[in-house]
């Protein structure tokens, strides 16, 4: 209190000083500055927003409100990726395995001795036919081919030659595949083959009795054009019309015999060579 | 000015603290009321501190802009006036520091052949100047300007702004005893200076 009284005069003088007031445009200037600041803020926000638009991750995770989601999401994506790859590989390996096994069985069948092949000739022919049956549009194509062949006998002959070449080639392959087992007695195997073909020649009665072309021994395994046509055509017809069409059956049998005979003759020649 | 408006509120009946809390809720009218209440007080304080009207208005506007930008920094713990005076005084100190630095640079670049484009502030009022003086306010302001900064701010806050010691202590972040002693020392200096001014007149 002593100090206050001591300096009472000077403090009174200071209090009595004329107060300085703000100018008239002070508030206006202040408001204009605030508006400028707001505009700058908006521009910054817009820039930020535009920047956010472009980013894939920012679009994915919003305006990075949950940054902890980024590693978690990345990890899950990685897991899915790894799982997908492993699953695909597994599927692929599973798909490949049966194919390989089929190939192995084919090779084993090819390498079987001719005696066994004769025993399984019917089933083997079934397989070849089923393989042909799997070809898309084979019925229509077969029909067309047979019609054309009937109209142009020269073409059929050429095709026959071609198919014979193929067949002989295939037989060669068969023989080569069966070579390790046939090394002991090649000549016997050849004779057996010839005998088998001869037997097949005498077997068309089985076809007639069963009414199934799958048991036809005449249709070569690799023959594509004429033989496949001859084998498929009557199947359709027989299935559709049944045992009533005896004449058609006879015609077909004759055709098959001719083909078989020609094939057999050529095979014999090749074997003898 | 963007922001929300609350037409139900009578802003004149609200305290400073209530106003700033309303402004924190983006109520611009609360900010306008704060500006209305504090603009003259702050400008008066800053004018006595800087002795320049333009500078005081610029600093006051800067202080209000700081308040606008940093409204969320205010906490209910203290008085609003204390917080706002702290902002203003810090800005004023920064401004004076920049000004001083600028002058120092000018002196260093001084060339004797050229004419002076600056005036050094006198620490003591010259007797010739006081003889020609007639306005008391003018001399008091001159005396305040001549005061050391650490005395000046506390004297202005106490005798011109009429704040209590505790508030001054919070604004200046000084102990209460230091504030009181500084105020007394500042008053003593002022008294001495004013006596020097008025003595020749009385003679």
């Amino acid at each position: 209190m002593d100090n206050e009284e001591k300096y009472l005069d000077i403090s009174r003088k200071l209090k009595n000083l004329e107060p300085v007031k703000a100018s008239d445009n002070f508030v206006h200037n202040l408001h204009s500055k605030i508006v400028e600041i707001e505009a700058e803020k908006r521009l910054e926000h817009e820039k930020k927003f535009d920047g956010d638009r472009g980013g894939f991750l920012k679009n994915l995770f919003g305006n990075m409100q949950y940054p902890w989601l980024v590693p978690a999401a990345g990890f899950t994506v990685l897991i899915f990726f790894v799982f997908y790859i492993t699953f695909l590989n597994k599927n692929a390996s599973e798909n490949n395995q049966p194919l390989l096994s089929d190939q192995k069985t084919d090779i084993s069948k090819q390498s079987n001795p001719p005696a066994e092949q004769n025993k399984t000739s019917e089933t083997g022919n079934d397989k070849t036919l089923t393989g042909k049956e799997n070809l898309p549009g084979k019925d229509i194509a077969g029909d067309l081919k047979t019609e054309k062949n009937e109209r142009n006998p020269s073409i059929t002959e050429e095709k026959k030659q071609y198919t014979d070449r193929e067949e002989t080639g295939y037989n060669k392959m068969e023989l080569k595949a069966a070579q390790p087992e046939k090394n002991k007695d090649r000549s016997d195997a050849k004779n057996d083959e010839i005998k088998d073909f001869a037997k097949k020649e005498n077997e068309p009665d089985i076809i007639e009795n069963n009414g199934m072309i799958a048991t036809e021994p005449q249709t070569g395994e690799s023959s594509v054009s004429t033989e496949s046509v001859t084998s498929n055509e009557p199947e359709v017809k027989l299935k559709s019309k049944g045992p009533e069409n005896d004449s058609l059956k006879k015609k077909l049998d004759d055709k098959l015999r001719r083909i078989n005979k020609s094939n057999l003759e050529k095979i014999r020649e090749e074997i003898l060579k | 000015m963007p922001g929300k408006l609350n037409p139900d509120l009578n802003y004149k009946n609200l305290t400073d603290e209530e106003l700033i809390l309303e402004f924190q809720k983006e109520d611009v009218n609360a900010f306008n009321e704060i500006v209305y209440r504090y603009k003259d007080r702050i400008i008066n304080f800053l004018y006595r501190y800087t002795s320049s009207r333009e500078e005081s208005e610029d600093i006051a506007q800067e202080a209000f802009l700081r308040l606008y930008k940093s409204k969320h920094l205010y906490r209910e713990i203290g008085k609003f006036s204390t917080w706002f005076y702290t902002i203003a005084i810090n800005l004023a100190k920064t401004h004076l520091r920049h000004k001083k630095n600028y002058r120092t640079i000018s002196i260093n670049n001084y060339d004797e052949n050229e004419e002076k484009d600056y005036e050094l502030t006198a620490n003591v009022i010259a007797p010739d100047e006081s003889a020609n003086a007639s306005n008391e306010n003018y001399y008091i302001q001159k005396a305040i300007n001549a005061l050391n900064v650490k005395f000046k701010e506390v004297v202005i806050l106490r005798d011109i702004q009429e704040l209590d010691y505790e508030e001054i202590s919070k604004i200046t972040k000084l102990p209460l005893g230091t504030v009181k002693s500084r105020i007394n020392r500042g008053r003593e200096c002022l008294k001495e200076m004013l006596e020097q001014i008025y003595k020749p007149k009385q003679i």
Side-chain angles (χ1 to χ4, degrees):
Chain A
M1 289 296 288
D2 292 338
N3 285 328
E4 288 288 322
E5 284 174 7
K6 195 181 171 183
Y7 302 113
L8 197 66
D9 187 44
I10 188 75
S11 62
R12 196 183 293 152
K13 278 179 182 175
L14 288 168
K15 277 173 193 172
N16 291 334
L17 278 171
E18 194 182 340
V20 178
K21 290 185 177 179
S23 58
D24 297 334
N25 59 352
F26 178 79
V27 177
H28 177 75
N29 290 339
L30 181 64
H31 282 192
S32 62
K33 280 182 179 177
I34 287 166
V35 168
E36 280 177 17
I37 287 167
E38 287 293 327
E40 281 174 11
K41 269 186 184 178
R42 278 181 196 169
L43 276 169
E44 281 177 11
H45 186 262
E46 280 172 9
K47 277 180 186 175
K48 234 182 180 180
F49 186 71
D50 289 338
D52 290 345
R53 242 182 219 173
F56 170 73
L57 282 172
K58 283 179 181 174
N59 283 329
L60 199 69
F61 299 107
N63 199 11
M64 294 307 279
Q65 288 175 349
Y66 309 105
W68 50 269
L69 270 176
V70 176
F75 188 66
T76 46
V77 166
L78 188 74
I79 285 166
F80 271 107
F81 186 69
V82 168
F83 180 75
Y84 186 69
I85 286 167
T86 49
F87 189 71
L88 263 182
N89 285 334
K90 209 178 180 183
N91 277 347
S93 61
E94 281 173 359
N95 290 329
N96 288 331
Q97 278 173 355
L99 282 168
L100 288 165
S101 63
D102 289 343
Q103 285 175 356
K104 280 176 186 175
T105 50
D106 290 340
I107 290 158
S108 63
K109 278 174 189 175
Q110 285 175 3
S111 62
N112 279 338
E116 284 176 16
Q117 277 187 357
N118 290 331
K119 286 175 188 174
T120 58
S121 61
E122 290 178 4
T123 53
N125 286 326
D126 281 341
K127 278 178 186 174
T128 52
L129 276 170
T130 50
K132 283 167 192 173
E133 279 167 8
N134 288 330
L135 292 167
K138 51 103 186 174
D139 292 333
I140 300 158
D143 293 338
L144 288 166
K145 279 174 183 175
T146 47
E147 282 173 16
K148 281 176 185 176
N149 291 335
E150 281 172 7
R151 283 171 193 170
N152 299 318
S154 61
I155 294 162
T156 52
E157 282 174 9
E158 284 174 3
K159 279 186 178 177
K160 274 179 186 175
Q161 285 174 0
Y162 179 71
T163 49
D164 290 341
R165 279 173 203 162
E166 275 188 346
E167 203 169 41
T168 50
Y170 185 77
N171 289 327
K172 277 178 184 176
M173 289 286 285
E174 259 190 339
L175 290 165
K176 279 176 185 175
Q179 266 177 356
E181 288 180 18
K182 291 175 187 174
N183 281 331
K184 292 178 182 177
D185 199 354
R186 281 184 183 178
S187 60
D188 292 341
K190 282 173 186 175
N191 292 325
D192 288 338
E193 266 193 335
I194 293 154
K195 283 172 186 176
D196 288 337
F197 281 115
K199 279 179 187 175
K200 283 172 191 174
E201 238 182 302
N202 299 323
E203 281 177 359
D205 295 330
I206 298 160
I207 301 160
E208 285 179 1
N209 293 330
N210 294 330
M212 294 291 285
I213 290 173
T215 57
E216 282 179 0
Q218 292 83 359
T219 51
E221 285 172 6
S222 64
S223 62
V224 180
S225 62
T226 53
E227 286 175 14
S228 65
V229 167
T230 50
S231 64
N232 290 330
E233 217 174 23
E235 187 185 16
V236 176
K237 284 175 182 176
L238 288 164
K239 279 180 180 177
S240 61
K241 293 179 180 177
E244 293 171 5
N245 298 320
D246 293 329
S247 61
L248 274 168
K249 277 182 184 178
K250 282 174 185 175
K251 282 178 182 176
L252 279 166
D253 291 335
D254 292 333
K255 279 181 181 178
L256 289 165
R257 278 172 196 163
R258 279 177 213 158
I259 291 155
N260 286 327
K261 278 176 186 174
S262 62
N263 285 333
L264 283 167
E265 283 169 6
K266 280 174 183 175
I267 289 157
R268 277 174 194 164
E269 284 171 7
E270 281 178 5
I271 290 160
L272 289 167
K273 281 175 186 177
Chain B
M1 210 161 47
K4 293 173 187 174
L5 294 171
N6 194 348
D8 301 328
L9 271 175
N10 189 4
Y11 296 97
K12 285 180 181 175
N13 296 334
L14 296 175
T15 62
D16 296 343
E17 287 73 35
E18 287 170 339
L19 283 171
I20 186 66
L21 289 172
E22 278 296 313
F23 181 49
Q24 281 178 343
K25 296 170 193 171
E26 303 293 330
D27 188 347
V28 181
N29 277 351
F31 175 74
N32 289 336
E33 182 62 28
I34 289 166
V35 171
Y36 179 77
R37 283 185 195 182
Y38 276 88
K39 61 175 184 174
D40 292 334
R41 283 161 72 180
I42 289 289
I43 284 170
N44 192 30
F45 164 72
L46 290 167
Y47 175 74
R48 298 301 170 197
Y49 195 83
T50 58
S51 72
S52 165
R53 195 177 176 85
E54 281 181 11
E55 284 174 14
S56 64
E57 286 214 354
D58 287 343
I59 296 164
Q61 285 202 349
E62 187 60 34
F64 280 112
L65 286 171
R66 287 279 175 92
L67 168 64
Y68 187 86
K69 286 179 194 171
S70 315
K71 55 180 179 290
H72 57 279
L73 294 175
Y74 171 75
R75 299 282 177 272
E76 272 187 279
I77 310 158
K79 281 176 81 177
F80 171 74
S81 59
T82 310
W83 185 62
F84 192 50
Y85 269 111
T86 311
I87 292 169
I89 209 164
N90 286 336
L91 283 169
K93 278 178 185 175
T94 313
H95 177 79
L96 285 180
R97 209 180 294 132
H98 283 303
K99 204 175 168 181
K100 202 179 174 182
N101 289 337
Y102 175 74
R103 281 187 175 179
T104 308
I105 290 160
S106 299
I107 290 161
N108 289 339
N109 295 333
Y110 173 69
D111 188 356
E112 282 184 66
N113 299 326
E114 288 180 4
E115 285 184 18
K116 282 183 182 179
D117 60 352
Y118 58 91
E119 280 184 12
L120 288 169
T121 49
N123 290 328
V124 182
I125 298 161
D128 297 337
E129 201 178 318
S130 65
N132 298 324
S134 58
N135 193 347
E136 194 181 21
N137 285 346
Y138 174 80
Y139 287 113
I140 292 168
Q141 183 60 47
K142 279 273 179 187
I144 292 166
N145 291 344
L147 270 177
N148 191 321
V149 177
K150 62 183 180 183
F151 301 137
K152 187 162 66 174
E153 63 182 9
V154 287
V155 166
I156 293 165
L157 288 170
R158 175 64 190 155
D159 291 332
I160 298 171
Q161 299 295 312
E162 296 178 4
L163 301 178
D164 56 32
Y165 288 108
E166 281 185 6
E167 202 172 347
I168 294 163
S169 152
K170 282 177 184 171
I171 290 165
T172 55
K173 292 168 186 171
L174 292 167
L176 200 65
T178 312
V179 170
K180 281 180 183 175
S181 69
R182 278 188 183 184
I183 289 168
N184 288 330
R185 282 182 71 183
R187 281 171 179 167
E188 183 64 40
C189 284
L190 275 174
K191 194 181 174 183
E192 282 176 11
M193 278 190 280
L194 289 170
E195 277 176 359
Q196 279 183 349
I197 293 163
Y198 288 115
K199 264 182 188 174
K201 221 179 182 181
Q202 284 168 0
I203 295 164

